[in-house]
Each structure stands twice: as C-alpha cells, then as structure tokens.
Amino acid sequence: MSSEQQVDPTSPTRPVRVRFAPSPTGYLHVGGARTALFNWLFARKTGGRLILRIEDTDLERSSETMVTGILDGLEWLGLGWDEGPYFQSERLTRYSEVAARLIERGEAYPCFCAPGELASRRAEATDRKQTWKYEGICRSLPRAEAAARLASAEPAAIRFKVPASGSLTFTDHIFSRITTGYEQIEDFVLLRSDGHPTYHLSVVVDDIDMGITHVIRGADHLPNTPKQILLYRALEQQSPIFAHVPLILGRDKSRLSKRHGATSVTAYREMGFLPEAFRNFLALLGWSPGNTDQEIFGAGELIEAFSLEGISRSNAVFNLEKAMWMNAQYMARSPTAVLSRELEPWLRERGLWEPEFAAEGAARLHAVVDLLKSRARSLADLASAARPYLSPSFELEPAAVEKNLRRHEQLKVLIPELADRLAGLSSFDLTTTEAALRELADERGVKAGLLINAARTALTGSGATPGIFDVMVCIGKPEVVRRLRDAVRLIA
RNA sequence: GGCGCUAUGGUGUAAGCGGUUAACACGCCGCCCUCUCAAGGCGGAGACUAGGGGUUCGAAUCCCCUUAGCGCUACCA
C-alpha cells in the first residue's frame, strides 16, 4: 500500500554505516562470513564504516566461546570492523524503554497469554494443516486492567499491534519490490516476559541507534523485514536500505549444514586454506563483478569491483572443488617467504619445524616451499609434501616402490653407480646432477627415465615430485647419496 | 497448510535498454610440454536458458500458468 521511504544511498549527508550482526549460537558459518564480507566490501567501497554487533539476546543459546570464535574467524579472513563489538545483552534497558514507549503510543500492548498454551494451540493448528496466528486476545484488554495486572507483577510479553488489513510494500536493493499482506503477520512479540527483546525489536532499535544506513544480511530475513519496517514507522524513523543476500546451499541444494561437510570458517582454516583465497572464493558465491573473466581478486581489487548490484537473487551451491582450486591458485602465487611463515603451525604439527626456519632467510625452508607451492592445494598438503625434504624419515609409497624400483633388477647396480657419480661431483647443482645422471644412462644404455624415476622414489618415497634435479639440489648431496645407497635394499 | 522469493551445462556466474554460433571459471575427457606429478598451453564433451503458454518480425531477457528448490510463518536469530 504505502511504499516505504528509505535512506537515499547517494545522499552526501549520510555516510554509509553498515553492520555485521551475528548471533553467537554457533561458530562463524560460511554464510555469515560471506555476509560479513559483503558488508565489509561495501563499507570499504563507499568509504563507510562497518559496525560489529553481537546479537546475544537468546540467553539460552548464546555463549562467550562462540563470540571469540566468530571474532577469530573475521580476523582470519581479514575483515576488520570500525566499531564494536557491541553486545545486545548490554543494551537490555534500552529495548524495554522503547517497548514501553510503543505501549504509550498505542503501538504495542502487554500480553498475558501463557506461552505454553499459545504454543500448543499453534501446534494443533499446524497438525491440522491450518494457519494460525495469535488472535490478539490481549490487544483489546482495557488499559486499566492491563495496568493492574502489570502492577501485580503478572508476567507479560509485549506485542506489537499489526494493522488488521492492508499490505506493505518495500524495495529491497537486490530483490526489488516485496509486498506482504498484513493478514500474514501476527501481533509479534517485542519483549519476552523475562524482559529480553526479540530479534525484531533489538535489531530495529540498534540499527536506529547505530545510524545504520544499509542492512545487508541473509535472505532468510527477507520475509520478516515488513515487521521491522512497521517498527521503524511506529518509531517515526526512516528505514535503512535493505539488501538481502541469497543463501548458500549444500551440494543437494538444501540449506548448507554439517552433513554437507564443513560449515564453519574455522574448519576451512584447519583444512589449510589461505584466508585470501577463501575470501576470494566466498566473494564469488552469489556475487559477480559483471562482464569480466577475472576470478582472482586481491582485497583491493575486490573492493574496487564490488557493488550491491552484482549480487545475485538466487541461492548458490557451495562448491568445495572450486574453493580448492582457488586456494591452489593463491598458494602458487604467494611469495615464498609469506607462505613459509604461514606454514609454521603445519610443520610443527608434523614435527618438521626447525628453529632455523624462523630466521630471516631460512634458505632451506624457502627452497622447499618454492619447489612445492605450485602443486599444493592447501597448507596441509604443502606441509605433508615437504616431509622428505626436511626430514630423513619419510614414508615409502608401495605402488611407487614397485613401479620405479623393485621391478627393475638392473637398478641394483645402477643405483649405487649413480650414487657414486653424484658423490664425486665437486659442484652439486641442476646442471651437474643432470649431466651426471644422463651420462650414466647413456653409458649403460638405459633410458634416463629409468634412473630418474628410481631416484625419485628412492629420494622421496613418492612417485610424483617436482623435477628430479630440483629435488636433488634441495635435499643436498650427502643425503641424496645416502638415500640412493639405502634404496638398493628395495630392489628385487 | 499459508505467504514470499528464485529458476542459464553437474557447480559458480556472463550475456547494459529483447536481435550473440548462449561466454568464462571449477570439475570431467583428450593432446602438447615432459623424468613423474602439478602448473601452464591447446582442444573436446556437457545448456533446445526448469516445463507450458502468450506479447513481438524477433524472447535467456517482458507477461501469465505449472513445477521444483529455498526461505519465512516462535516469548530463535
């Protein structure tokens, strides 16, 4: 009916203020992380401010450890905020004030109906597949009676008076016009009988108090937005711009949940994702930079390219394969020194960390990282692949041993010979090692590949490695010679 | 059940106001490179744009219906 007047996004008088408002009832979900990212990008893009607010009004389900988990997740993704975190649990009196004011204005009323009773009536109705909404029994209670019962400390919730008929239309920045009939909306609770606000009240009060200009949040909030707009009106405040972001789904297109695999950003960190890569991947889920083929975006480029208009209206399926690809891209492109530093916890976990790695140059570690970074999909991958280069004890892959060593009896003499020749080199580098190996192959009339693959498995236990001469140089002469000699026992 | 939203290859997305052989990326399959594996390069398969009706000279783009998925429908957020 009446179309809402909203904040003009181009108004020079109102600098952009957005917020990320997670509820600490779980770890930072990838969907929440993406919402945070979009808010962050929008704030950076527009020169606005990002406010972090913790919506912990559900005492039962909120916890402090979840709060730190969420903060850690944001920090890991590099999504810094400009204000907060504010906690709704610390603003309780403010919400009751507003609720009281709404009662005074005749926009809300106390409700004495027993929650349990209401719930059972609701359940009964849905069992019969019928619609049921609170019929507003207490709405028509005489003012005096209501006041008396309140005074006698009878528990009461505060409900909002929703217009009996008509409809409300508002413009969402992503979904455009949304219309809802009031008959769909019941007199919803603003304040629980324990004095805690419900989401609708606290979110509106806070967004007003914090001067929020754009509400960028998950599309699961879309159907409830009319309730909130009603509140803005009742409080004689302008509504912010609403921009609802479509949801992230699992493989089977149902809501992303544990059974689809990891849902918390912490889990992706633990898998060995680079935060920049994961952030880049997330940005491309439900948002597109438009008519360009670019997919790899640094933080600056992301900010530059971002706009609300590029956000899609349909839900997106989380594709781990592509996320891994993205991560591999970032791994390969990361400066070796940076990657080496990120690798520390992963190497420690595997007992491969050496104090010398912490030093400036850390040449030995850098050489390994350099060698492996273009073929690792994650930090975990990289750390595992690094073992043969950092430690004399590594696993032998049975299949590789079989294929490259055991099967070839001639290696029994060739491998020790190769070891001798390498041992005799005065300079041990790419050219000298390659020349030594190829000469030997020529002289003995075997293909170089035979020696190369044998050396590969003898030196690393694996059938797939970087170029063999790079491997040799990286491992170093004494250890190369030792491992070759040792490998003879593996040949049939 | 009611209400709302959405619908382009398996997945993520392009294709400004209706006019393209419907593009790119992931994944998949080949080939090249090559000592293996990645990376990289080249090529291929895979979409009558969910289905059906309209409007129009012309529809992935506009309208309607159907279907499907998702969301909301709480003294959760």
Side-chain angles (χ1 to χ4, degrees):
Chain A
M1 247 196 183
S2 73
S3 148
E4 227 20 53
Q5 22 164 269
Q6 298 180 328
V7 182
D8 177 1
T10 59
S11 165
T13 56
R14 295 207 64 178
V16 165
R17 290 174 64 81
V18 293
R19 68 351 182 243
F20 176 55
S23 163
T25 54
Y27 287 106
L28 182 58
H29 187 271
V30 293
R34 192 194 51 171
T35 302
L37 172 61
F38 286 176
N39 274 285
W40 182 82
L41 288 170
F42 187 66
R44 290 291 166 275
K45 171 81 177 193
T46 57
R49 289 168 78 76
L50 174 62
I51 289 98
L52 178 62
R53 184 171 76 219
I54 306 297
E55 311 219 319
D56 55 352
T57 54
D58 185 348
L59 38 144
E60 298 293 311
R61 301 196 302 150
S62 299
S63 91
E64 237 173 86
T65 63
M66 294 304 172
V67 173
T68 54
I70 289 168
L71 264 41
D72 286 350
L74 291 174
E75 202 178 318
W76 179 66
L77 282 170
L79 306 180
W81 53 94
D82 305 301
E83 282 178 38
Y86 298 117
F87 291 83
Q88 292 192 324
S89 57
E90 290 170 5
R91 294 172 43 79
L92 263 25
T93 52
R94 173 69 181 138
Y95 308 125
S96 8
E97 266 170 38
V98 174
R101 184 144 50 103
L102 286 167
I103 293 179
E104 273 168 41
R105 293 192 179 186
E107 302 277 10
Y109 59 91
C111 171
F112 303 95
C113 297
E117 215 173 283
L118 258 31
S120 67
R121 264 192 279 162
R122 195 184 303 273
E124 200 182 304
T126 48
D127 277 357
R128 292 200 316 265
K129 304 204 167 205
Q130 300 210 316
T131 17
W132 186 85
K133 64 173 196 178
Y134 177 65
E135 51 282 79
I137 304 162
C138 297
R139 182 171 178 155
S140 48
L141 236 43
R143 253 191 132 82
E145 184 189 338
R149 291 171 72 171
L150 234 32
S152 71
E154 185 175 346
I158 308 299
R159 285 182 187 271
F160 185 78
K161 279 188 192 169
V162 175
S165 65
S167 66
L168 183 149
T169 296
F170 73 99
T171 301
D172 183 271
H173 224 243
I174 292 162
F175 286 91
S176 65
R177 298 180 85 70
I178 306 287
T179 300
T180 308
Y182 290 136
E183 75 283 354
Q184 293 301 321
I185 309 175
E186 69 173 4
D187 284 355
F188 54 95
V189 171
L190 298 174
L191 213 58
R192 301 174 173 101
S193 43
D194 67 1
H196 284 258
T198 61
Y199 174 68
H200 302 300
L201 208 221
S202 58
V203 77
V204 169
V205 169
D206 284 353
D207 284 342
I208 290 170
D209 287 354
M210 297 174 190
I212 301 303
T213 57
H214 297 70
V215 171
I216 304 169
R217 71 213 321 183
D220 47 343
H221 290 292
L222 193 57
N224 280 326
T225 303
K227 293 179 188 168
Q228 292 155 29
I229 290 177
L230 249 18
L231 275 173
Y232 280 97
R233 282 190 193 170
L235 294 167
E236 298 181 301
Q237 295 285 330
Q238 244 184 353
S239 303
I241 303 268
F242 289 100
H244 287 91
V245 178
L247 304 179
I248 297 178
L249 309 178
R251 270 207 175 294
D252 59 357
K253 301 205 172 191
S254 67
R255 198 175 199 167
L256 190 64
S257 68
K258 289 109 285 196
R259 70 195 169 77
H260 295 111
T263 55
S264 76
V265 310
T266 315
Y268 290 91
R269 167 165 50 178
E270 283 164 4
M271 278 181 223
F273 271 88
L274 256 20
E276 300 78 15
F278 198 65
R279 186 224 275 139
N280 192 157
F281 170 72
L282 241 31
L284 259 22
L285 258 192
W287 171 79
S288 159
N291 202 356
T292 170
D293 288 343
Q294 188 179 351
E295 297 219 88
I296 306 293
F297 289 88
E301 293 176 303
L302 226 37
I303 292 166
E304 178 60 32
F306 188 77
S307 82
L308 258 24
E309 283 65 36
I311 297 176
S312 126
R313 284 175 310 273
S314 49
N315 296 339
V317 173
F318 186 93
N319 185 340
L320 183 62
E321 286 296 313
K322 182 141 187 184
M324 294 287 256
W325 169 81
M326 185 73 78
N327 203 46
Q329 292 291 316
Y330 273 82
M331 298 277 297
R333 294 172 196 219
S334 288
T336 297
V338 174
L339 216 44
S340 301
R341 217 175 308 127
E342 301 247 27
L343 213 51
E344 177 173 345
W346 302 90
L347 292 176
R348 281 191 186 281
E349 198 179 314
R350 290 164 177 73
L352 296 171
W353 181 258
E354 305 287 342
E356 56 161 298
F357 294 166
E360 311 288 302
R364 197 156 76 90
L365 177 59
H366 286 189
V368 174
V369 171
D370 234 10
L371 214 51
L372 298 171
K373 69 179 185 181
S374 74
R375 57 204 98 210
R377 287 169 83 77
S378 67
L379 289 169
D381 261 12
L382 182 48
S384 295
R387 174 172 289 281
Y389 305 89
L390 297 174
S391 158
S393 85
F394 51 89
E395 247 176 67
L396 295 165
E397 283 172 26
V401 171
E402 177 62 30
K403 178 167 177 265
N404 294 334
L405 291 168
R406 172 160 274 124
R407 276 221 292 251
H408 311 280
E409 207 185 326
Q410 38 187 337
L411 289 173
K412 256 193 161 124
V413 295
L414 289 172
I415 288 291
E417 264 191 285
L418 177 61
D420 290 343
R421 300 227 179 168
L422 292 171
L425 293 176
S426 54
S427 161
F428 197 79
D429 58 37
L430 253 32
T431 31
T432 56
T433 51
E434 175 154 16
L437 184 141
R438 291 195 187 278
E439 268 167 35
L440 177 64
D442 277 353
E443 289 169 29
R444 296 293 175 261
V446 297
K447 292 176 99 175
L450 178 69
L451 295 179
I452 286 173
N453 284 317
R456 187 187 320 286
T457 302
L459 297 179
T460 67
S462 166
T465 72
I468 194 63
F469 306 108
D470 288 296
V471 170
M472 288 183 182
V473 172
C474 185
I475 291 174
K477 184 160 95 171
E479 185 63 14
V480 166
V481 171
R482 190 191 71 73
R483 288 184 195 180
L484 283 174
R485 294 213 164 108
D486 185 53
V488 177
R489 65 187 168 87
L490 299 171
I491 302 159

